[in-house]
Amino acid sequence: MCTYQTERLDVSGSGKGSEGWFSLSCATFYFDHPTHYPAEHSLNIDFLNLDGGARARVAVELDPASARELARAILATLQTAPQP
Amino acid sequence: MSDSLQAETVRFTGHGGDEIEGYLAQPLDEGSFGGVVVIHHLPGYDEGMKEITRKFAAHGYLAVCPNLYSREAPGASPDDAAAAARALGGVPDERLVGDVQAASGLLKSLGSSNGRVATIGYCSGGRQSFLSACSLPLDAAVDCYGAFVVGTPPESSPLRVSPIVQMTPDLSCPLLGLFGADDQYPSPQHVAELEEALKLADKVYEFHSYEGAGHAFFSTDRPSYRPDAAKDGWQRIWEFFGRYLAS
């Protein structure tokens, strides 16, 4: 399937892409065909700066179990971090 | 016919007067040939799509694959371009039709054109092939597992895609549909609904759904590749284009 199911978030932060560090403006999440990971589908995340051109991108393609673990680990880490 | 061909990147004027990139492949034999506009899949204007474009030339067709993401990401790698286009909402329908019209015009302007042009599209391009055939005068169209001709994407999706099955009465040419029976977008139910609309509108069409195949079964560089379905699908395409694109 090609789900088109895409979530888009505005994000603040920085990412390191093929041309070095850049400021992030958004992230997209979609469950679709990966470009590189050898599976029919993966959970794909692109961290982007839409004003920085197409190369301003950090991409990951994760198997669904890894993506769930990542989400759990992020929340767990944030829970123990000092609150601003 | 020999198998000599020429393939190269070209630039031409697309929708709205914008210059866009395309990959043009043409047989080098003497004679006149039908044309095929290859509409790339959602992952973009990549090596696989260029390979398919060359395959048409090797089989005696003029073929061009326009880079539908030329504007969002000029010169970017196909995956970066696809990600940028996705984040920006995808390719607007009106712009797509304009770019396909321009690509069709490019093929017809070639000295070896016989004046006939078809579209073929894969994945999101399958829907766009159907959209083109309902919007432009074409000689044939092929929809390879195009999602959302029927059905609507989730509301959360930033992609600007709406169903177009209601355009069926405007279909200008015969339609070949090639689908995977295991696909969910389009599902067998979506395919049946499109077939019903084609019957109601009394259109010429031919559908084939392959058991054991899902989405993207033509993509030789992906795990979704299904050799048996792809082999039969290519045979159907050659027969279909032989019927409708011949001089």
Side-chain angles (χ1 to χ4, degrees), chain B residues 8-241:
Chain B
E8 61 198 318
T9 299
V10 295
R11 305 196 72 83
F12 60 101
T13 304
H15 181 73
D18 300 334
E19 188 184 84
I20 64 170
E21 177 186 30
Y23 189 68
L24 174 68
Q26 44 189 326
L28 291 178
D29 290 325
E30 293 290 319
S32 63
F33 308 102
V36 181
V37 178
V38 179
I39 306 178
H40 64 66
H41 55 179
L42 196 62
Y45 173 78
D46 58 14
E47 280 304 312
M49 288 292 117
K50 290 182 177 179
E51 188 179 315
I52 283 174
T53 306
R54 288 193 297 271
K55 190 176 179 92
F56 282 111
H59 281 256
Y61 295 95
L62 307 170
V64 66
C65 179
N67 180 356
L68 303 175
Y69 305 151
S70 290
R71 296 168 184 82
E72 284 85 1
S77 65
D79 61 312
D80 284 349
R86 181 188 286 266
L88 292 168
V91 175
D93 283 349
E94 185 188 352
R95 191 180 93 186
L96 177 278
V97 172
D99 285 351
V100 170
Q101 186 172 28
S104 167
L106 170 70
L107 293 175
K108 286 183 178 177
S109 74
L110 298 173
S112 53
S113 167
N114 69 4
R116 293 177 180 268
V117 171
T119 55
I120 184 168
Y122 302 83
C123 176
S124 54
R127 175 184 175 279
Q128 290 164 334
S129 181
F130 182 80
L131 172 69
S132 301
C134 293
S135 308
L136 301 169
L138 295 172
D139 295 291
V142 185
D143 167 4
C144 299
Y145 34 80
F148 303 117
V149 172
V150 172
T152 311
E155 274 185 28
S156 64
S157 174
L159 294 174
R160 294 168 293 205
V161 177
S162 54
I164 50 174
V165 67
Q166 73 282 358
M167 297 176 77
T168 304
D170 299 326
L171 184 67
S172 64
C173 60
L175 177 73
L176 173 64
L178 301 170
F179 307 101
D182 297 343
D183 203 346
Q184 294 176 51
Y185 295 94
S187 68
Q189 196 181 341
H190 291 144
V191 173
E193 200 177 318
L194 175 57
E195 182 164 18
E196 196 54 38
L198 289 161
K199 275 184 194 164
L200 267 176
D202 200 23
K203 297 296 180 181
V204 177
Y205 73 94
E206 181 185 326
F207 277 10
H208 301 278
S209 289
Y210 297 100
E211 296 296 331
H215 201 76
F217 61 79
F218 277 113
S219 292
T220 55
D221 57 350
R222 292 172 183 268
S224 56
Y225 179 54
R226 294 292 179 273
D228 290 344
K231 210 182 302 177
D232 189 79
W234 276 116
Q235 190 53 40
R236 304 290 180 182
I237 290 166
W238 303 134
E239 289 167 7
F240 187 72
F241 282 170

